[in-house]
């Protein structure tokens, strides 16, 4: 994904993450926050990958512990890790665990 506009690049990355997670987990809630702007100048950010917070609610996580849920998310985003995603924070839960 090449673009010289950081905001446009961030939007494209968020859209890609939404698409991949949506297809994999059919979430009832999916929020992706691009925090890349907070990490400009950070050594790890120089490689171009973004920093994202993901909150995802899906029944696909039922009967899975937190580590397993995170692995599930990382597995489906594997192609984006490193090049498009430098850092990823995940909150993964089922509908009955999500705050009202």
């Amino acid at each position: 994904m090449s673009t010289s506009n950081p905001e446009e690049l961030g939007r494209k990355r968020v859209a890609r993450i939404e698409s991949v997670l949506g297809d994999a987990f059919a979430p009832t809630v999916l929020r992706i926050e691009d925090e890349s702007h907070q990490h400009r100048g950070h050594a790890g950010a120089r490689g171009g990958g973004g920093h994202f917070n993901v909150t995802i609610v899906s029944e696909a996580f039922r009967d899975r512990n937190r580590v397993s849920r995170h692995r599930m998310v990382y597995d489906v985003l594997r192609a984006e890790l490193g090049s498009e995603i430098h850092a990823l924070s995940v909150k993964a839960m089922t509908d009955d665990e999500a705050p009202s």
Side-chain angles (χ1 to χ4, degrees):
M1 240 180 257
S2 70
T3 181
S4 59
N5 181 332
E7 289 79 24
E8 180 183 345
L9 180 58
R11 285 190 297 274
K12 287 181 178 181
R13 287 175 171 160
V14 167
R16 175 70 182 147
I17 294 167
E18 285 177 343
S19 174
V20 170
L21 294 178
D23 289 348
F25 299 112
T28 55
V29 174
L30 179 58
R31 284 192 305 273
I32 302 165
E33 298 172 68
D34 182 354
E35 295 188 339
S36 302
H37 64 282
Q38 296 175 1
H39 300 275
R40 288 198 179 108
H42 174 256
R46 289 189 196 121
H51 290 66
F52 301 93
N53 284 331
V54 171
T55 301
I56 183 168
V57 178
S58 172
E59 287 306 302
F61 302 126
R62 184 155 308 281
D63 299 324
R64 303 285 186 131
N65 65 32
R66 186 171 61 118
V67 172
S68 177
R69 293 172 184 192
H70 285 216
R71 283 186 184 141
M72 291 168 69
V73 170
Y74 274 80
D75 284 348
V76 300
L77 291 174
R78 187 167 312 282
E80 284 75 27
L81 292 171
S83 61
E84 299 299 326
I85 299 172
H86 169 70
L88 182 66
S89 171
V90 176
K91 292 179 188 167
M93 60 200 93
T94 60
D95 286 314
D96 55 328
E97 297 168 331
S100 304

